[in-house]
Amino acid sequence: MAWSEGVEETRLLIAPDVNAIGNGLGQFLSLRHPKSGKATCYLFKNGTLQELNWFKQSYGSWFLGDYVCEDGRLYTATIVDPVFIMLPIFEEARMKKRDDPGKFRQLDEIMFVNSYPGYQHLIPIAENCMQVVCEIKEIGSSKFFRLDDSKVLAWLCYKVHQLKQILPTLDKNYAARDKKDTLTDAISILGEYLEDEPWLKLLCDHLKLNLLDATMKAPVIEFHPTAPDNSLGSSNQLQGKSGNERKTTRPGKQPKKVKVEKDSRNIKDMFSRASRK
């Protein structure tokens, strides 16, 4: 499988089955991450955009039939709402200044991003995204789009509502949390794909939440982009120490507090976003 131009290596990828329609061919696109702005690899297949994450233990490889794949990383592709990925592009395209709401632009202008030709492949789905968060004007046979803050806020509130319904069903720990904590968790998850200014602040102000409190609480599993100088061929090895074993205590004695190891790793460190040079 060719993961990037000029690189022919076999990798193991787990991805949703979207072969029911279309020709089944996918493309790996280098796009800007909506939070960090760094180049990040996405899979675009049959009109569906998927983000790539990977996990690798210190040592490992895969047996694929009669072939041994030396790269022991496990790549996963998960469907992501393309509006998150395009939101920074829409924001830049309107060229908003202070109280001026900005300019209406045509689709091909908005989707042209210097050094990122991958956005051109998203043009077939871009108009549907624009209808969600943009004002639209038609002049003759031409359409012009401009990002609308009120539409973005309504879309974000809908995402929060969805997460508030889903999170309590994940496990008993989430189910036991109160409504405010669940709301904060939802904001934190969305914060992985949104810039603090203006979108997270706009959302927190609307929900009467403190932006700092909402962004300090990270979700249980948090994906991080890899360093800019890392490519799909780089690895992220785990060298965390194992946790302390429990010891029995004598009756009448207070159990000792478990010492938290400084070098231990959180589960969120086991995943990283795949990026391209």
Side-chain angles (χ1 to χ4, degrees):
M1 177 186 295
W3 281 71
S4 58
E5 186 177 354
V7 178
E8 292 282 347
E9 296 180 9
T10 300
R11 308 279 173 84
L12 185 63
L13 171 68
I14 298 177
D17 184 8
V18 291
N19 288 328
I21 57 174
N23 57 18
L25 298 177
Q27 295 172 305
F28 290 100
L29 306 178
S30 178
L31 308 172
R32 284 165 40 185
H33 187 269
K35 179 76 171 182
S36 66
K38 296 179 180 179
T40 306
C41 187
Y42 294 87
L43 172 62
F44 186 58
K45 187 174 182 181
N46 292 340
T48 302
L49 189 63
Q50 304 173 37
E51 60 178 345
L52 297 179
N53 301 283
W54 56 267
F55 162 70
K56 178 175 171 51
Q57 293 180 328
S58 298
Y59 302 97
S61 57
W62 294 102
F63 289 95
L64 306 176
D66 297 330
Y67 174 77
V68 177
C69 177
E70 184 179 353
D71 185 349
R73 277 170 293 186
L74 174 63
Y75 287 84
T76 61
T78 54
I79 296 174
V80 61
D81 190 334
V83 177
F84 284 112
I85 310 304
M86 297 186 195
L87 190 58
I89 308 303
F90 297 166
E91 167 67 16
E92 292 175 5
R94 66 174 172 173
M95 296 184 287
K96 181 179 179 181
K97 295 180 180 178
R98 298 180 182 177
D99 296 331
D100 180 10
K103 299 180 179 180
F104 282 88
R105 308 281 295 278
Q106 288 186 295
L107 177 62
D108 56 347
E109 290 182 295
I110 295 173
M111 297 305 292
F112 178 79
V113 182
N114 285 326
S115 303
Y116 289 92
Y119 284 97
Q120 298 296 307
H121 295 280
L122 302 182
I123 288 179
I125 64 172
E127 186 170 338
N128 288 336
C129 297
M130 290 175 171
Q131 290 177 357
V132 175
V133 293
C134 293
E135 294 181 70
I136 303 174
K137 285 188 176 182
E138 295 189 33
I139 301 178
S141 59
S142 300
K143 288 185 179 182
F144 297 84
F145 305 88
R146 183 178 67 187
L147 191 65
D148 185 302
D149 288 0
S150 62
K151 284 193 170 186
V152 175
L153 179 59
W155 172 71
L156 289 175
C157 288
Y158 174 70
K159 291 296 183 183
V160 170
H161 175 71
Q162 285 184 311
L163 285 169
K164 284 172 62 179
Q165 289 184 319
I166 293 172
L167 288 177
T169 67
L170 296 180
D171 59 35
K172 60 182 181 180
N173 292 324
Y174 269 121
R177 295 172 71 80
D178 60 36
K179 290 183 179 180
K180 185 176 180 180
D181 285 339
T182 301
L183 176 60
T184 303
D185 289 336
I187 299 295
S188 182
I189 292 172
L190 292 180
E192 291 294 302
Y193 301 90
L194 297 170
E195 295 178 339
D196 290 355
E197 292 281 353
W199 309 122
L200 269 184
K201 186 178 185 303
L202 180 68
L203 181 60
C204 288
D205 288 347
H206 177 74
L207 297 174
K208 296 179 172 57
L209 289 176
N210 183 280
L211 175 63
L212 184 60
D213 292 341
T215 53
M216 283 181 63
K217 289 190 176 183
V220 175
I221 298 178
E222 185 178 9
F223 297 146
H224 293 280
T226 54
D229 58 343
N230 286 348
S231 66
L232 286 171
S234 63
S235 63
N236 182 25
Q237 297 184 356
L238 299 178
Q239 298 176 347
K241 295 181 180 179
S242 59
N244 291 337
E245 296 181 356
R246 291 186 178 180
K247 296 182 180 180
T248 57
T249 57
R250 295 179 182 177
K253 275 195 170 184
Q254 293 292 333
K256 293 183 179 179
K257 291 184 179 179
V258 178
K259 183 179 179 181
V260 179
E261 293 185 322
K262 294 181 180 179
D263 296 332
S264 61
R265 293 292 184 95
N266 190 289
I267 189 172
K268 68 182 182 181
D269 298 321
M270 296 169 65
F271 290 86
S272 296
R273 281 195 179 90
S275 64
R276 296 174 63 180
K277 286 184 177 180

